[in-house]
């Protein structure tokens, strides 16, 4: 009998070795490196097998192998070599007893199978649930970021082609694609057309009224014409150039589309993870761009790319956008308008279609910063998901242990009930703290109001926010329990418990739309309405000539009319390119707009002068006072005081 136990142990070791070998073959080779499992069993079973890697896979298939080879009363599980007579240890001459068909052994195998399967299903559910959360939260941002990275990589390959052309001597290559000129007009421009625009003064009339000549309003136009005069040859044909210029005139607000998929599939989750894996490379914009592992190397590669692209038009000091637009044509030499629009929104050339080196490098630098912040947010989200998985595991394994005891036939529940009653008595002590704790968990896992690098503002929901922008904090670290923030103005670091933030209004500057900026101006009530129209046209031209700063002028309207104070207050409401996340450029542009508005007011003679306030000098008849003190320390009578100030007064 003792030799049979040795044989049983050796057979279990052999089964375990086979299961471990099968794990490597099934998961690492068949499931991950070949499409065999996917074609045979589908995504669900394949992903479940992959998630069962480790002890759940071993426990599950070990119990299955024991059911097949080491359980039952027939001859094979009792003696694998029952058919031979040479070695008595492996045949029926070595009695096996009744353990292989014992009820306790059956319960043990069922418990192993239950633990392995339920753990695999739990891992699959967690991976799918957390993957769908990440996909729903980050998929739109990832799509935008990958599209920008793709455009930069295509521009980099264009620069490599230009280098090859110069090396081979094939210089002077130009595109000459026949196409139909189509004018694009944004919805904002269409809505702005109305009866009031008919009498809007022209640019010449505007300069005549303002008296600027060519010194202030036409700075951008004059600079663009100077740049254009330096060009020796055209990069595109006239029709192609018109097509690009029409695209340059189109400055539409980006479309904010919600995710139409209410539930991501496993295929979407796997593709999402593969796309994220491509961002960890040393060359995120492909080797044609160069190193971009740090911000310094990214800026250096951007400058080198700018110089290479300038070789296409060596007589131009600045880089024409038409050079970049060569990547916007398909194999049939047709302009892909959506791609051209995306390229314009990425680099934001001026109205004449040129890019300075600073604009070019800063556009790529913005993508690099978005990439790094996105990776930091994903890493922080993964750590939060790990804590969430740990909490789920605690409850899951407690329930699993209880069910395993039931499968094994355990009946003594009294001690276990006493332990649970002991811990339950402490729940009243930690009740309020637990409530705050779960409110914080719901804030982070359900609402998700911020990510790493976001600028947030915290306020009471019953109070209104500041129309000029709220004081904000940078989010530096997020855990399940706390949030670490840094005050944007003073760099002071603070830590909040997530439960305390659950009932506050959290304004996220990064997720907010583009900033709406207001500048208030006052005009005299006798100011001619035609001059107000001239003023409005000057402001519109100022905003339109700065496409890298402003999106559009939203409104120019009167907000207050004060006849007694002799003024009418107007508001200039404009949409900035940046969100409140980047408050520095917004404030600078607002200051420039206010300064320009003041200059135009002076030129048009619309500067408001507040009326002089009437001053009434009178003496009420005072009470009888014999003497008063004056600054020299002497006490004077009332009549003497009147004589000091050369006024007549009654005593």
């Amino acid at each position: 009998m003792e030799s049979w136990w040795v044989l049983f142990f050796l057979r279990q070791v052999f089964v375990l070795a086979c299961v471990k070998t099968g794990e490597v073959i099934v998961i690492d080779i068949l499931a991950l490196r070949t499409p065999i499992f996917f074609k045979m069993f589908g995504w669900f079973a394949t992903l479940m097998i992959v998630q069962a890697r480790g002890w759940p896979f071993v426990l599950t298939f070990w119990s299955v192998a024991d059911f097949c080879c080491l359980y039952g009363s027939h001859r094979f599980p009792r003696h694998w070599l029952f058919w031979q007579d040479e070695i008595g240890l492996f045949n029926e001459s070595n009695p096996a007893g009744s353990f292989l068909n014992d009820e306790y052994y059956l319960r043990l195998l069922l418990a192993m199978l239950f633990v392995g399967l339920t753990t695999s299903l739990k891992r699959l559910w967690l991976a799918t649930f957390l993957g769908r959360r990440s996909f729903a939260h980050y998929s739109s941002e990832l799509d935008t970021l990958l599209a920008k990275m793709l455009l930069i990589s295509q521009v980099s390959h264009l620069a490599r082609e230009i280098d090859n052309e110069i090396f081979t001597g094939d210089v002077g290559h130009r595109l000459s694609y026949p196409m139909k000129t189509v004018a694009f007009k944004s919805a904002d421009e269409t809505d702005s057309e109305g009866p009031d625009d008919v009498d809007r003064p022209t640019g010449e009339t505007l300069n005549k009224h303002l008296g600027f000549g060519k010194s202030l309003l036409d700075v951008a136009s004059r600079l663009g014409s100077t740049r254009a005069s330096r060009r020796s040859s055209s990069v595109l044909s006239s029709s192609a150039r018109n097509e690009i210029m029409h695209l340059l005139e189109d400055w539409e607000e980006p479309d904010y589309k919600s995710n139409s998929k209410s539930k991501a599939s496993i295929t979407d989750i796997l593709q999402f993870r593969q796309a994220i894996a491509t961002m960890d490379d040393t060359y995120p914009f492909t080797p044609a761009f160069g190193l971009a592992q740090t911000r310094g190397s990214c800026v250096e590669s951007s400058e080198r790319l700018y110089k290479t692209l300038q070789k296409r038009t060596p007589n131009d000091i600045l880089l024409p956008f038409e050079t970049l637009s060569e990547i916007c044509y398909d194999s049939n030499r047709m302009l892909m308008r959506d791609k051209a629009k995306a390229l314009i929104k990425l680099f934001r050339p001026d109205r004449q279609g040129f890019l300075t080196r600073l604009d070019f490098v800063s556009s790529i630098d913005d993508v690099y910063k978005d990439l790094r912040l996105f990776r930091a947010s994903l890493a922080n989200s993964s750590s939060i998901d790990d804590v969430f998985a740990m909490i789920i595991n605690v409850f899951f394994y407690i329930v699993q242990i209880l069910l395993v005891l039931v499968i094994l036939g355990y009946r003594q529940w009294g001690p276990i009930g006493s332990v649970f009653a002991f811990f339950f008595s402490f729940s009243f002590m930690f009740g309020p703290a637990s409530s705050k704790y779960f409110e914080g968990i719901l804030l982070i896992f359900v609402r998700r109001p911020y990510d790493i690098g976001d600028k947030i503002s915290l306020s009471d929901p019953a109070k209104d926010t500041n129309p000029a922008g709220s004081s904000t904090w940078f989010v530096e670290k997020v855990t399940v329990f706390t949030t670490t923030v840094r005050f944007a103005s003073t760099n002071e670091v603070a830590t909040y418990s997530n439960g305390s933030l659950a009932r506050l209004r959290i304004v996220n500057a990064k997720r907010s739309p583009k900033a709406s900026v207001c500048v208030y101006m006052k005009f005299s009530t006798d100011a001619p309405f035609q001059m107000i129209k001239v003023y409005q046209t000057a402001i519109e031209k100022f905003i339109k000539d700065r496409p890298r700063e402003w999106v559009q002028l939203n409104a120019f309207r009167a907000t207050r009319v004060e006849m007694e104070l002799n003024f009418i207050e107007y508001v200039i409401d404009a949409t900035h390119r940046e969100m409140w996340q980047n408050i520095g450029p917004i404030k600078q542009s607002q200051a420039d707009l206010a300064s320009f508005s003041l200059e135009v007011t002076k030129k048009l003679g619309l500067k408001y002068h507040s009326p002089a306030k009437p001053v009434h000098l009178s003496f009420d008849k005072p009470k009888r006072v014999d003497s008063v003190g004056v600054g020299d320390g002497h006490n004077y009578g009332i009549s003497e005081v009147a004589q000091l100030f050369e006024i007549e007064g009654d005593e």
Side-chain angles (χ1 to χ4, degrees):
M1 184 68 179
E2 294 179 358
S3 60
W4 183 87
W5 281 106
V6 173
L7 178 62
F8 178 76
F9 176 75
L10 293 176
R11 289 196 292 176
Q12 290 289 355
V13 171
F14 177 77
V15 171
L16 180 60
C18 292
V19 170
K20 290 293 293 181
T21 305
E23 179 186 9
V24 176
I25 296 174
V26 171
I27 296 179
D28 295 340
I29 298 177
L30 297 179
L32 295 178
R33 299 183 182 179
T34 63
I36 296 177
F37 268 49
F38 167 68
K39 293 180 179 179
M40 293 178 61
F41 306 108
W43 281 113
F44 182 83
T46 304
L47 190 59
M48 180 178 175
I49 293 174
V50 172
Q51 290 296 326
R53 182 199 297 266
W55 66 266
F57 182 93
V58 173
L59 208 60
T60 301
F61 286 92
W62 191 3
S63 61
V64 172
D66 276 7
F67 269 119
C68 297
C69 303
L70 288 172
Y71 175 77
S73 58
H74 48 282
R75 300 175 64 185
F76 177 74
R78 298 173 66 87
H79 300 92
W80 285 355
L81 302 179
F82 66 91
W83 44 268
Q84 55 86 31
D85 297 329
E86 286 76 9
I87 305 176
L89 181 65
F90 301 119
N91 56 28
E92 294 181 354
S93 60
N94 182 15
S98 60
F99 177 75
L100 292 182
N101 56 351
D102 188 74
E103 181 182 359
Y104 181 78
Y105 182 53
L106 174 63
R107 289 177 178 270
L108 181 62
L109 294 180
L110 290 175
M112 292 172 58
L113 183 62
F114 171 77
V115 171
L117 287 176
T118 53
T119 305
S120 301
L121 289 173
K122 185 265 301 179
R123 287 184 176 183
L124 175 62
W125 175 80
L126 268 179
T128 307
F129 174 74
L130 297 178
R132 282 173 176 163
R133 286 181 71 252
S134 298
F135 178 84
H137 189 71
Y138 293 108
S139 60
S140 58
E141 185 177 356
L142 179 62
D143 289 341
T144 304
L145 190 56
L146 287 178
K148 294 179 180 179
M149 293 172 62
L150 180 61
L151 286 175
I152 294 175
S153 64
Q154 291 177 347
V155 170
S156 305
H157 284 280
L158 173 63
R160 176 174 290 184
E161 293 178 2
I162 293 175
D163 254 349
N164 293 335
E165 291 175 5
I166 295 176
F167 179 76
T168 57
D170 185 16
V171 295
H173 172 70
R174 298 292 184 268
L175 288 173
S176 182
Y177 295 163
M179 63 179 64
K180 189 180 295 183
T181 303
V182 180
F184 294 93
K185 182 174 288 187
S186 64
D188 299 327
E189 293 175 351
T190 304
D191 295 339
S192 64
E193 294 180 356
D196 295 338
D197 297 329
V198 177
D199 297 330
R200 192 69 53 85
T202 62
E204 296 179 357
T205 309
L206 181 63
N207 288 335
K208 180 180 178 181
H209 279 292
L210 296 178
F212 287 162
K214 296 184 179 179
S215 61
L216 186 60
L217 269 183
D218 293 336
V219 171
S221 300
R222 179 163 52 86
L223 180 60
S225 61
T226 304
R227 292 171 181 170
S229 64
R230 293 170 180 165
R231 305 180 63 197
S232 60
S233 59
S234 62
V235 181
L236 298 176
S237 64
S238 59
S239 59
R241 185 182 301 108
N242 291 334
E243 182 78 12
I244 293 296
M245 292 306 297
H246 279 301
L247 288 173
L248 286 173
E249 292 297 324
D250 184 29
W251 301 97
E252 293 182 350
E253 192 73 16
D255 293 330
Y256 292 93
K257 296 181 179 179
S258 59
N259 188 14
S260 59
K261 295 185 178 180
S262 58
K263 190 174 182 180
S265 64
I266 296 179
T267 306
D268 296 331
I269 297 173
L270 295 178
Q271 291 177 352
F272 177 76
R273 292 182 177 179
Q274 290 175 355
I276 292 174
T278 61
M279 296 182 176
D280 294 328
D281 193 33
T282 309
Y283 302 93
F285 305 120
T286 69
F289 176 83
L291 283 174
Q293 196 170 10
T294 62
R295 189 181 184 188
S297 60
C298 180
V299 171
E300 183 179 352
S301 299
S302 301
E303 290 181 342
R304 185 169 55 252
L305 179 62
Y306 183 86
K307 293 179 181 178
T308 304
L309 292 170
Q310 275 190 310
K311 295 178 182 179
R312 175 56 61 87
T313 54
N315 295 327
D316 286 337
I317 298 178
L318 302 178
L319 176 64
F321 180 76
E322 294 162 337
T323 301
L324 303 182
S325 66
E326 294 181 17
I327 68 172
C328 300
Y329 293 88
D330 57 15
S331 58
N332 297 324
R333 297 184 176 182
M334 297 297 295
L335 181 67
M336 295 178 286
R337 300 176 182 175
D338 293 338
K339 189 173 183 179
K341 286 184 178 181
L343 194 66
I344 292 170
K345 292 179 181 179
L346 175 60
F347 290 101
R348 293 295 176 190
D350 60 18
R351 286 291 174 177
Q352 283 68 42
F354 285 90
L355 278 169
T356 64
R357 180 181 301 182
L358 177 61
D359 293 341
F360 183 84
V361 174
S362 63
S363 297
I364 298 179
D365 182 61
D366 290 340
V367 178
Y368 174 83
K369 290 187 291 186
D370 291 342
L371 172 62
R372 293 307 177 194
L373 285 175
F374 182 76
R375 292 294 298 142
S377 298
L378 277 178
N380 186 80
S381 178
S382 299
S383 64
I384 294 176
D385 291 345
D386 292 339
V387 176
F388 176 76
M390 181 185 67
I391 297 173
I392 295 297
N393 287 337
V394 170
F395 292 99
F396 172 78
Y397 287 124
I398 290 176
V399 175
Q400 192 179 61
I401 289 173
L402 295 177
L403 293 177
V404 167
L405 293 177
V406 172
I407 294 175
L408 293 178
Y410 185 78
R411 295 291 183 269
Q412 303 297 327
W413 299 104
I416 297 177
S418 301
V419 173
F420 278 102
F422 175 77
F423 284 104
F424 181 75
S425 61
F426 285 93
S427 62
F428 298 98
M429 182 186 302
F430 301 106
S434 300
S435 176
K436 287 288 186 181
Y437 173 74
F438 282 105
E439 283 184 2
I441 291 179
L442 293 176
L443 174 74
I444 298 301
F445 284 99
V446 179
R447 288 175 55 185
R448 302 189 74 164
Y450 45 75
D451 293 312
I452 296 295
D454 289 359
K455 187 183 289 186
I456 63 173
S457 173
L458 307 173
S459 59
D460 187 357
K463 298 179 180 179
D464 294 333
T465 59
N466 188 357
S470 307
S471 58
T472 52
W473 300 74
F474 284 105
V475 179
E476 293 194 338
K477 185 179 180 181
V478 182
T479 65
V480 178
F481 311 101
T482 61
T483 297
T484 302
V485 294
R486 176 170 51 87
F487 194 46
S489 302
T490 62
N491 280 339
E492 295 173 288
V493 178
T495 301
Y496 292 96
S497 64
N498 294 334
S500 64
L501 301 178
R503 300 180 182 180
L504 297 180
R505 175 174 54 209
I506 302 176
V507 179
N508 193 323
K510 187 176 181 180
R511 299 182 189 176
S512 302
K514 290 180 171 58
S516 181
V517 179
C518 294
V519 175
Y520 294 89
M521 300 298 296
K522 293 181 180 179
F523 305 118
S524 175
T525 53
D526 56 355
F529 183 72
Q530 184 62 28
M531 300 303 292
I532 300 294
K533 282 296 183 182
V534 173
Y535 179 89
Q536 179 180 355
T537 305
I539 298 300
E540 289 178 351
K541 189 175 188 304
F542 177 84
I543 291 176
K544 188 176 181 181
D545 288 343
R546 285 155 180 80
R548 292 189 66 88
E549 297 182 37
W550 301 100
V551 177
Q552 62 182 3
L553 177 65
N554 297 327
F556 178 80
R557 60 177 178 270
T559 56
R560 291 174 59 194
V561 178
E562 298 287 347
M563 298 302 296
E564 294 181 356
L565 299 177
N566 194 30
F567 76 82
I568 302 176
E569 184 183 70
Y570 277 80
V571 61
I572 304 171
D573 187 357
T575 302
H576 200 272
R577 285 286 172 197
E578 299 289 343
M579 296 175 288
W580 284 112
Q581 176 80 6
N582 303 324
I583 193 172
I586 295 174
K587 291 298 183 182
Q588 183 60 48
S589 299
Q590 184 181 21
D592 295 341
L593 179 59
S595 300
F596 179 80
S597 302
L598 181 60
E599 268 319 296
V600 176
T601 303
K602 294 178 181 178
K603 292 290 183 179
L604 293 177
L606 298 175
K607 186 177 179 181
Y608 167 69
H609 299 279
S610 59
K613 295 182 179 179
V615 179
H616 301 282
L617 296 177
S618 63
F619 285 90
D620 294 334
K621 187 174 183 179
K623 294 180 180 179
R624 180 71 181 180
V625 179
D626 294 334
S627 64
V628 295
V630 187
D632 57 2
H634 182 73
N635 290 332
Y636 295 90
I638 296 299
S639 60
E640 295 176 353
V641 172
Q643 293 177 3
L644 283 175
F645 292 99
E646 297 181 354
I647 59 176
E648 296 180 357
D650 299 331
E651 287 188 357

